[in-house]
Amino acid sequence: MTRRATTIASLLLALSVPLQAIDFEKEIAPLIVRRCLECHNSIDPQGGLDLTSLKSAIAGGDSESSIQSPVEENFLLQRITDGEMPPAIKGVPQPLPAAELALLTKWISTGADWPAARHLDFYEATTDSHAGRDWWSLRPVMNPQIPSPTNTSVDKATPIDAFIAARLATNNLTAAPPADKRTLLRRLYYDVTGLPPPPAAITAFLANNDPTAYETEIDKLLATHHFGQRWSRYWLDLVRFADTCGYERDQLKPNIWKYRDWVIDALNADMPYDRFVRDQLAGDEVAYRDEQSVIATGMIRAGTWNDEPNDPADYVYTRLEDMVHTTTSAFLGLTVKCARCHNHKFDPIPQTDYYRAAAIFWPGYIGQANLGGPSTEQLGYDVFGWTDRNNSPAELRLLIKGERHRPADVIQPGPLSAVRVLDKPFIPSQSAANTTQRRLQFANWITDSQNPLTARVMVNRIWQHYLGEGIVRTPNNFGFKGSPPTHPQLLDYLASELVSGQWKMKRIHKLILMSATYQQASQHPQQSKYAQRDFLNHYWWRANRKRLDAEALRDTILNISGRLDTKLGGPAFYPKMAADALEGLSRKASAWPTSLQPERNRRSIYMISKRAQLLPLMTTFDFADTTLPCARRESTIVATQALALLNNHFVHSQSEALAERLTTEHPADIHAQITRLWNLAFSRNPTKSELAVAESHILNQSLHFAGQQNADKEDESSHSIKELLGQIPRANLGLWLRADKGVQLDDQGRVMFWRDQAPSTTDHLHKHDASQATLANRPLFQSQGIHKNAAIKFDGKDDFLNLAGQAIWKPQFSIIAVVSQSSTGSAAREIISNWHRRGRSTNSIFLGTTGTNKVRLSDAFSPAGILTEPSRPFILTAINTTGQASTFQNSTLLATQAALTPRVLAAPYVLGTQGNYGSEFWQGNIAELLVFDHPLSKEERDAVWSYLGVKYQLSVTPTRKTPDHLALASLCHVILNTNEFIFID
């Protein structure tokens, strides 16, 4: 079709439009906003054409064709009728609908009347392609009228239920009946604390018929410290918290754990949400600034940090994006970062708004020094927080397409323009201020009672974690591409309650928990029928079933095994990591210094979140990605989860601990043990059939383990040294001297160097090699010193070796030595010592024996047992815990006492003598020496003793569990793998 023919067709189509006057405001303005302004706006007009005002539309852009040109000569209209505008998207034409084309043609043909004062704004109104400033989440929060009761099964005791019931009635649905009391209390405990109810609490609640019993339980649980430990995890996910920086080196962020503890404490104290926001964004700028408020600013720098970016200058803008994205998604539920390179495609967020937000963080320490933030001195406290460099930072410019080398206009800090009522410029800081006060003004803007987003976003998050889904099911996106609220009036009611209640969050928690909606069962009498109509349960006609998340699962396992350590706060602990999970790390032991057993039994909120090496058990159960804000974790049900529970070492060890608990509480009573197991794991008693099956399982497994142990006794000698060597715990092994490795001799066969074989060191920096520079003091190497194994022979006169560095760093330690002694005198002799005549004559640390075969573990534990058959080679073990000190010969306990009184652990250390005293020289062989900077557990001791016993042909008897105990542990393991255990209800 020719251009003239197309124009005629347009005119003919326009004639079909009614002859009444065209209303610019109602008909033309929305059309131009919807179809044209994305490209033809005043900020970046494509083709030079700006259609935001009459004046610019008449100018016509590069073509100089006025919008008021006659239809036959109107270049703009011709481009539209030819299908060239709007432009194609990914090659797909986007022609204007015929009715709209006719309307536009008619308008132009009648002179294109446009009020001179009317300026169009791309974001002024919502269209079918993008949100405007009239979008639902940007409208003021209105305290809605609570619906009147209707004939429905939902209890109208709370306003929440009235809103839910109204929608149910509209859709001809009814609510599920209330959950039974056992299920309800179990749900309540998990949702509020992340832990199961104690069996005694279940029993008491079932017997309590007081109408206020449930409310009493709510108040009690909201007041426990477990509440903050549970709910802080949701917030830490939102602000992409982890203990390390990520990237290749993944350095530990010093003191970032204080921010985690601040969140826990703030939630437990029911800190008002407006202050919760303010302290995290501007705790260094508030009038009440103190250490705690500065700790709160750790949120800003809790994300990843790259110590070797490809281009440090570009990386500054990457970090700004991280800060803008985290803040605006967590507090406002908007995807502001999408406007970094251009105006937001779907929400009323121009590119200038992104740079307004970025300018808020621009004055901070965004560079590469000090892990990308201020130092302790600059903060004034030993914390990992944030502050500005000064109160007069350099200007920040908008970057065209986000490219650093294409700077445009200077952008001043300010709020998002989408909230028109609060769109006011920030006030420059006073000259006497230490910071710009930009973050404080931003925080005050966020928490202004007129901000329509803040309260809506927060109450939606609380609802989400109790009901399984949010009222807005895209909790970090309240924009055009997000899900609309299923119950907008309910959302506004909760938001109004939050603000009117002085921003106290526990009040909202209780409102939700007291509702019949929360208390209903997860199964509905008409489940199949209703699921056909509302499969995703948008109308809340039943409770959503929830699987235990990673933290609740691990904490529950520890809780029911009796091993959960409820210690509060402090640095993160390192759980035990399977060896194969550490493959690929260049420095395995130093990269993952496994914490002591008591620390590893703490709640999961205190577990190290190491970005480059998350615990596989946690990730299998959908632990959050720590690189980006996470508002809603996945909750998958996949086969690998069953495999993890079946094979994971943690689950196995806790199954055995649970069996020990059951045996201790109910010795020799299998019925009571099984009943207690069901009470702990399922919050109920077993049925008769379950009891019978459990008894049968224990009997069969006991017979199986008895036969296995008999076979193992015959096979024990067949275990290879290599297999046993692989079982030695490497974590916290700071010194390992083996006479069959790392020995360097002089030409007389005497030891010059004895190299430390430990994968790590006690200080994680230096090897503790042994050496002797003086020929006369060098011990002799023997290739077959102990049962045909290499050993170092000390003559008891003047042979000794100097150890490099401090071999023992912590007051809790383990020393294991394979030795033989040949002296017959009464003098004392030492294997390892740091005794020193200057200041350490009574408080040093050493391990040795006396001529009367008594063991000495420092002057504070002497004698520490008496050796049996001292003329034969033996394994000598000394362990000091926080509660007691113990010594062993081979695997036999020699003596115990209270923990050693405080010792001086400083270097220098020596082997084979008392220290610098020049006496108490060891006479005999030392074949192997291991020093751990923690007390070995029973299982760890057994692993080391088994290896040394087989290698040196020494008699050791590792602790064996009875077949009955192993069978009970097997039943515990089965229970920990059931759906009933890993689902809340």
Side-chain angles (χ1 to χ4, degrees):
M1 182 181 293
T2 65
R3 174 170 295 189
R4 179 175 295 277
T6 302
T7 303
I8 292 172
S10 299
L11 282 169
L12 291 173
L13 186 60
L15 292 175
S16 65
V17 177
L19 294 177
Q20 65 262 29
I22 295 175
D23 190 321
F24 178 84
E25 195 63 40
K26 292 182 179 179
E27 299 176 279
I28 300 302
L31 190 156
I32 295 175
V33 168
R34 182 171 62 252
R35 302 297 185 187
C36 308
L37 289 195
E38 182 175 353
C39 297
H40 301 293
N41 53 70
S42 59
I43 296 174
D44 183 22
Q46 300 297 304
L49 178 62
D50 176 3
L51 294 177
T52 61
S53 68
L54 175 62
K55 180 179 179 181
S56 59
I58 290 175
D62 296 344
S63 68
E64 298 184 354
S65 174
S66 169
I67 197 167
Q68 293 184 336
S69 299
V71 169
E72 298 83 355
E73 302 171 7
N74 196 301
F75 180 70
L76 172 61
L77 182 61
Q78 189 61 52
R79 295 284 306 279
I80 295 172
T81 56
D82 287 350
E84 297 176 12
M85 291 202 317
I89 298 177
K90 295 182 179 180
V92 179
Q94 305 291 314
L96 209 63
E100 292 183 6
L101 178 60
L103 180 65
L104 188 63
T105 303
K106 182 70 174 180
W107 176 63
I108 292 174
S109 69
T110 57
D113 182 50
W114 185 325
R118 180 65 164 99
H119 285 257
L120 300 182
D121 182 345
F122 181 67
Y123 297 122
E124 67 183 38
T126 297
T127 71
D128 56 5
S129 61
H130 71 270
R133 283 187 292 273
D134 61 345
W135 183 245
W136 72 264
S137 64
L138 299 173
R139 297 173 195 157
V141 173
M142 306 299 291
N143 195 356
Q145 181 178 353
I146 298 171
S148 300
T150 57
N151 294 325
T152 173
S153 61
V154 175
D155 186 357
K156 308 304 181 306
T158 73
I160 288 174
D161 300 317
F163 288 110
I164 296 295
R167 291 297 301 275
L168 287 172
T170 301
N171 290 277
N172 296 317
L173 300 170
T174 60
D180 64 81
K181 292 181 73 174
R182 181 197 69 84
T183 298
L184 180 60
L185 192 66
R186 179 177 166 90
R187 182 191 298 171
L188 178 68
Y189 264 78
Y190 270 120
D191 284 347
V192 177
T193 72
L195 293 171
I202 289 282
T203 302
F205 185 64
L206 293 177
N208 189 347
N209 294 318
D210 188 327
T212 65
Y214 175 66
E215 183 176 5
T216 300
E217 290 291 333
I218 292 174
D219 292 338
K220 179 183 72 176
L221 295 178
L222 288 175
T224 67
H225 64 264
H226 293 304
F227 167 74
Q229 291 172 326
R230 174 60 170 170
W231 280 78
S232 62
R233 183 67 260 175
Y234 301 136
W235 187 258
L236 296 179
D237 283 0
L238 272 175
V239 297
R240 80 306 188 214
F241 171 87
D243 294 278
T244 60
C245 295
Y247 294 95
E248 182 178 358
R249 288 184 179 82
D250 201 24
Q251 306 95 322
L252 187 70
K253 293 176 181 282
N255 293 317
I256 190 65
W257 58 268
K258 293 182 180 180
Y259 169 71
R260 174 248 292 151
D261 284 357
W262 180 88
V263 175
I264 294 173
D265 293 342
L267 295 179
N268 277 331
D270 201 14
M271 177 182 287
Y273 185 61
D274 56 347
R275 177 167 177 176
F276 186 74
V277 173
R278 191 178 303 115
D279 283 6
Q280 292 181 81
L281 280 174
D284 62 311
E285 295 186 318
V286 294
Y288 51 84
R289 183 185 194 274
D290 61 11
E291 182 175 5
Q292 287 301 307
S293 70
V294 176
I295 286 172
T297 64
M299 181 210 75
I300 297 173
R301 60 188 300 202
T304 59
W305 178 74
N306 188 355
D307 64 334
E308 289 186 331
N310 291 335
D311 188 330
D314 280 340
Y315 187 57
V316 166
Y317 294 95
T318 300
R319 293 200 67 207
L320 278 178
E321 179 185 314
D322 167 69
M323 295 172 188
V324 170
H325 177 47
T326 299
T327 302
T328 54
S329 60
F331 298 128
L332 302 172
L334 292 178
T335 56
V336 176
K337 77 166 189 175
C338 295
R340 175 181 172 180
C341 302
H342 47 70
N343 292 341
H344 201 292
K345 295 292 185 182
F346 305 106
D347 296 331
I349 307 171
Q351 190 181 14
T352 50
D353 272 14
Y354 171 85
Y355 284 93
R356 278 186 179 187
I360 293 167
F361 301 100
W362 181 248
Y365 292 82
I366 313 176
Q368 290 302 103
N370 194 45
L371 299 183
S375 66
T376 296
E377 293 74 21
Q378 290 156 344
L379 287 168
Y381 300 102
D382 188 17
V383 302
F384 198 78
W386 192 257
T387 194
D388 292 347
R389 294 177 182 272
N390 51 54
N391 67 357
S392 55
E395 296 175 329
L396 176 66
R397 291 181 177 273
L398 182 146
L399 303 182
I400 297 173
K401 295 187 177 180
E403 297 174 8
R404 176 169 59 86
H405 298 292
R406 300 181 65 187
D409 296 337
V410 172
I411 304 296
Q412 297 299 326
L416 302 186
S417 60
V419 185
R420 271 297 172 89
V421 68
L422 297 177
D423 186 14
K424 301 171 184 176
F426 284 177
I427 299 171
S429 66
Q430 306 262 332
S431 59
N434 294 323
T435 68
T436 62
Q437 302 288 297
R438 293 177 181 181
R439 284 174 288 109
L440 181 58
Q441 293 182 74
F442 188 44
N444 290 336
W445 174 83
I446 289 174
T447 56
D448 191 294
S449 60
Q450 295 185 83
N451 192 316
L453 291 162
T454 310
R456 280 179 175 137
V457 168
M458 190 59 205
V459 297
N460 186 67
R461 297 194 194 284
I462 298 174
W463 179 278
Q464 168 195 340
H465 293 301
Y466 281 127
L467 278 298
E469 292 284 358
I471 298 172
V472 177
R473 300 202 170 196
T474 51
N476 264 14
N477 190 352
F478 275 43
F480 187 77
K481 285 296 185 178
S483 299
T486 58
H487 296 72
Q489 288 186 314
L490 172 57
L491 184 66
D492 274 15
Y493 165 74
L494 292 172
S496 298
E497 288 295 309
L498 177 62
V499 177
S500 65
Q502 288 76 53
W503 295 92
K504 292 282 191 173
M505 290 183 281
K506 284 189 179 181
R507 184 166 174 268
I508 305 302
H509 286 261
K510 186 173 180 179
L511 280 175
I512 295 171
L513 292 170
M514 287 295 294
S515 70
T517 302
Y518 174 79
Q519 297 175 50
Q520 65 184 329
S522 59
Q523 290 292 317
H524 196 286
Q526 301 186 65
Q527 185 94 1
S528 299
K529 177 182 176 182
Y530 282 14
Q532 292 291 325
R533 296 166 57 188
D534 181 23
F535 182 77
L536 295 178
N537 195 24
H538 284 106
Y539 300 119
W540 309 105
W541 47 269
R542 61 172 175 83
N544 285 320
R545 286 195 77 194
K546 291 180 287 186
R547 196 209 71 206
L548 294 179
D549 61 25
E551 291 89 344
L553 177 61
R554 180 183 174 276
D555 292 351
T556 298
I557 292 173
L558 282 168
N559 179 272
I560 69 172
S561 74
R563 298 294 176 88
L564 182 65
D565 185 340
T566 58
K567 172 185 170 185
L568 303 177
F573 71 87
Y574 285 79
K576 183 179 179 181
M577 181 80 77
D580 54 355
L582 294 173
E583 285 301 321
L585 298 181
S586 58
R587 300 177 63 187
K588 298 179 178 60
S590 60
W592 196 267
T594 304
S595 298
L596 303 181
Q597 186 65 57
E599 285 289 309
R600 304 203 308 263
N601 289 341
R602 300 184 67 196
R603 289 202 68 171
S604 302
I605 189 67
Y606 300 114
M607 181 192 296
I608 188 82
S609 290
K610 187 172 174 61
R611 285 188 161 97
Q613 193 69 44
L614 296 171
L615 193 70
L617 179 65
M618 305 298 281
T619 56
T620 300
F621 284 91
D622 305 310
F623 187 80
D625 177 6
T626 59
T627 58
L628 293 170
C630 176
R632 183 180 182 276
R633 292 187 188 180
E634 297 297 323
S635 184
T636 59
I637 305 170
V638 293
T640 49
Q641 293 165 348
L643 293 173
L645 290 173
L646 283 169
N647 298 303
N648 185 267
H649 60 83
F650 168 79
V651 183
H652 274 282
S653 66
Q654 295 307 313
S655 297
E656 293 191 6
L658 177 53
E660 289 178 11
R661 175 182 184 176
L662 300 175
T663 303
T664 300
E665 293 179 356
H666 302 284
D669 189 341
I670 190 172
H671 280 221
Q673 291 169 0
I674 295 171
T675 300
R676 178 65 166 164
L677 174 58
W678 254 249
N679 289 166
L680 291 168
F682 303 144
S683 301
R684 65 175 178 84
N685 288 329
T687 64
K688 288 184 178 179
S689 61
E690 288 172 334
L691 191 61
V693 170
E695 287 181 1
S696 176
H697 178 88
I698 290 175
L699 176 61
N700 291 333
Q701 288 297 96
S702 183
L703 293 172
H704 166 75
F705 286 121
Q708 190 178 64
Q709 285 188 353
N710 289 332
D712 286 347
K713 286 179 182 178
E714 298 173 2
D715 250 4
E716 272 178 356
S717 60
S718 67
H719 289 305
S720 70
I721 295 294
K722 184 176 181 181
E723 290 175 324
L724 296 170
L725 187 62
Q727 296 175 14
I728 289 183
R730 265 47 175 198
N732 303 97
L733 174 56
L735 170 64
W736 190 0
L737 297 174
R738 299 172 50 182
D740 59 348
K741 275 197 172 185
V743 178
Q744 183 177 342
L745 307 177
D746 61 19
D747 54 7
Q748 296 182 23
R750 295 187 176 277
V751 177
M752 297 170 59
F753 295 100
W754 193 3
R755 306 291 185 188
D756 182 7
Q757 302 300 310
S760 174
T761 59
T762 49
D763 62 359
H764 306 298
L765 294 173
H766 307 99
K767 291 287 188 178
H768 302 302
D769 296 335
S771 62
Q772 180 53 264
T774 305
L775 176 62
N777 298 125
R778 290 174 181 168
L780 187 66
F781 175 77
Q782 290 191 313
S783 61
Q784 299 191 25
I786 294 181
H787 296 160
K788 299 183 179 181
N789 285 278
I792 310 300
K793 182 179 181 180
F794 294 79
D795 65 3
K797 297 177 182 178
D798 51 16
D799 288 352
F800 72 97
L801 295 171
N802 297 295
L803 272 176
Q806 184 175 330
I808 300 175
W809 274 71
K810 297 180 181 179
Q812 290 78 48
F813 59 82
S814 303
I815 304 172
I816 302 179
V818 178
V819 298
S820 66
Q821 57 179 15
S822 54
S823 60
T824 56
S826 60
R829 52 248 179 189
E830 315 306 338
I831 299 170
I832 183 171
S833 171
N834 78 334
W835 191 95
H836 199 282
R837 70 172 74 238
R838 293 182 180 177
R840 272 188 243 162
S841 59
T842 59
N843 56 7
S844 60
I845 185 73
F846 57 82
L847 176 63
T849 64
T850 70
T852 53
N853 301 317
K854 295 176 181 177
V855 176
R856 297 197 307 161
L857 179 56
S858 82
D859 291 321
F861 192 6
S862 180
I866 300 176
L867 298 170
T868 59
E869 299 185 87
S871 61
R872 303 181 64 178
F874 56 90
I875 304 169
L876 184 61
T877 301
I879 297 178
N880 190 48
T881 71
T882 55
Q884 70 176 25
S886 309
T887 58
F888 302 81
Q889 182 182 6
N890 295 333
S891 56
T892 302
L893 179 66
L894 294 179
T896 62
Q897 70 157 43
L900 299 180
T901 54
R903 306 281 94 194
V904 175
L905 303 178
Y909 281 76
V910 292
L911 300 180
T913 186
Q914 173 71 334
N916 73 340
Y917 191 66
S919 67
E920 300 186 10
F921 290 95
W922 185 257
Q923 185 173 352
N925 291 324
I926 301 178
E928 200 147 345
L929 177 65
L930 300 93
V931 176
F932 297 83
D933 67 352
H934 78 281
L936 294 180
S937 66
K938 181 170 59 177
E939 293 77 13
E940 291 171 328
R941 288 199 316 260
D942 285 346
V944 178
W945 288 342
S946 295
Y947 155 68
L948 296 174
V950 171
K951 179 176 179 178
Y952 294 99
Q953 302 173 43
L954 302 175
S955 177
V956 295
T957 308
T959 306
R960 285 187 179 277
K961 296 179 174 65
T962 67
D964 288 346
H965 173 84
L966 294 173
L968 182 57
S970 173
L971 177 63
C972 294
H973 198 194
V974 170
I975 294 304
L976 298 184
N977 279 268
T978 59
N979 279 343
E980 186 174 356
F981 177 72
I982 66 172
F983 278 86
I984 295 175
D985 62 62

